């Protein structure tokens, strides 16, 4: 635990990326064990729903979140006297074109549920009621921070990293990249602007059924892609 400079809590957890990767891979392995006879991936929307429910939270995948802002796609609510709730914007569930975005948001909210639930326990103990728009008991997640929040926003950064690590587990991603790079004698991080970089992103998109942005962010954070501009921070 380290001091929380955002002021939300007195202290907050610091996770190195490899810690999050190991725990997320353990979670995914446990979820899928016995459920699959063939390929493990992609993880489906139904399986993400099961993961959330098994972790002790209610789920509303058709929620009207417009009161929180037009760019809010997920909210995780923690209560002092009952199980948490996860709300997903109905704009995602009602649009088949946003299926990958829906899965990314479900995995992100699971990150808040699994890794941050304990933080609210003491904070909420002294207060029993919260109005619907209160932010004191909620993680409110906007479209632009679901994937790759700045590391100064540690809570969103961690949930974003978890989202990628759940949908694209580290061992499977590294194996996919190795299988592509090995025969081509590529032995270092690949430029995202190169043809090889584009091919690797496309393979990740197809294998794990994620968006181009989600694949690219995950590959950057695992050090598999490089760019001339500043890369995303690796610690949160």
């Amino acid at each position: 635990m380290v001091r929380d400079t955002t002021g939300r809590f007195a202290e907050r957890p610091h996770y190195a990326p490899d810690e999050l990767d190991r725990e997320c891979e353990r979670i995914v392995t446990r979820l899928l064990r016995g459920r699959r006879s063939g390929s493990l991936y992609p993880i489906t929307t139904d399986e993400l729903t099961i993961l959330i429910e098994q972790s002790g939270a209610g789920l509303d995948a058709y929620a009207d979140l417009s009161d929180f802002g037009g760019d809010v796609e997920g909210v995780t609510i923690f209560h002092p006297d009952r199980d948490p709730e996860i709300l997903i914007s109905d704009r995602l569930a009602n649009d088949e074109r946003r299926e990958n975005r829906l899965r990314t948001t479900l995995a992100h909210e699971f990150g808040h549920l699994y890794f941050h639930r304990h933080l609210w326990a003491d904070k909420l103990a002294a207060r029993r009621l919260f109005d619907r728009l209160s932010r004191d008991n909620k993680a409110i997640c906007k479209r632009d921070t679901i994937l790759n929040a700045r590391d100064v926003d540690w809570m969103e950064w961690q949930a974003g990293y978890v989202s990628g690590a759940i949908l694209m587990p580290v061992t499977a991603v590294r194996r996919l990249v190795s299988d592509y790079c090995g025969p081509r004698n590529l032995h270092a991080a690949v430029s995202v602007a190169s043809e090889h970089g584009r091919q690797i992103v496309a393979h990740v998109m197809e294998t794990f059924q994620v968006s181009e942005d989600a694949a690219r962010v995950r590959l950057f954070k695992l050090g598999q892609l490089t760019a001339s501009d500043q890369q995303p921070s690796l610690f949160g």
Side-chain angles (χ1 to χ4, degrees):
M1 300 293 286
V2 298
R3 187 171 68 89
D4 180 9
T5 58
T6 69
R8 181 176 288 181
F9 304 97
E11 291 185 315
R12 57 92 165 180
H14 171 87
Y15 297 105
D18 61 336
E19 293 177 301
L20 293 173
D21 279 320
R22 285 196 303 271
E23 182 62 11
C24 288
E25 190 157 49
R26 187 190 67 81
I27 290 167
V28 169
T29 299
R30 183 178 61 189
L31 172 69
L32 299 182
R33 183 181 293 124
R35 296 182 59 86
R36 302 288 188 89
S37 58
S39 174
L40 290 179
Y41 308 109
I43 297 173
T44 67
T45 302
D46 286 345
E47 286 165 339
L48 291 169
T49 298
I50 290 169
L51 180 62
I52 288 170
E53 292 173 346
Q54 286 180 344
S55 298
L59 174 63
D60 181 356
Y62 299 89
D64 180 0
L65 301 182
S66 57
D67 286 346
F68 294 101
D71 57 349
V72 172
E73 295 190 337
V75 176
T76 300
I77 308 174
F78 298 90
H79 300 284
D81 54 356
R82 55 191 173 95
D83 290 338
E85 298 175 80
I86 289 179
L87 311 179
I88 305 297
S89 172
D90 55 2
R91 296 191 305 273
L92 299 182
N94 290 327
D95 187 345
E96 292 182 358
R97 297 169 300 175
R98 296 186 178 185
E99 179 72 18
N100 290 345
R101 188 75 188 185
L102 171 61
R103 292 166 55 249
T104 298
T105 304
L106 285 166
H108 180 102
E109 300 308 321
F110 171 77
H112 286 306
L113 173 67
Y114 187 87
F115 287 92
H116 302 147
R117 182 176 188 170
H118 67 283
L119 295 174
W120 265 274
D122 292 337
K123 184 174 182 176
L124 301 183
R127 187 172 174 186
R128 307 299 292 177
L129 297 174
F130 297 85
D131 64 63
R132 182 177 184 273
L133 297 181
S134 170
R135 293 176 179 258
D136 290 343
N137 67 326
K138 300 176 181 69
I140 300 172
C141 308
K142 299 181 179 180
R143 181 181 307 114
D144 291 341
T145 60
I146 292 284
L147 280 174
N148 194 35
R150 296 175 58 200
D151 57 358
V152 293
D153 186 353
W154 62 267
M155 184 170 285
E156 286 302 288
W157 189 97
Q158 289 177 2
Y161 195 98
V162 168
S163 178
I166 289 290
L167 294 174
M168 298 166 274
V170 59
T171 299
V173 172
R174 287 177 173 160
R175 183 182 300 118
L176 182 151
V177 174
S178 177
D179 288 347
Y180 179 90
C181 291
R184 296 167 176 82
N185 292 317
L186 301 173
H187 302 298
V190 176
S191 169
V192 68
S194 69
E195 179 59 27
H196 290 308
R198 289 190 288 271
Q199 287 295 323
I200 290 170
V201 169
H203 285 325
V204 170
M205 291 171 61
E206 180 180 3
T207 300
F208 300 100
Q209 289 298 292
V210 295
S211 70
E212 183 176 353
D213 284 345
R216 188 183 298 112
V217 167
R218 181 65 169 148
L219 288 163
F220 268 123
K221 288 185 175 180
L222 291 177
Q224 305 293 328
L225 289 182
T226 187
S228 56
D229 55 353
Q230 186 177 359
Q231 295 186 33
S233 171
L234 293 181
F235 294 91

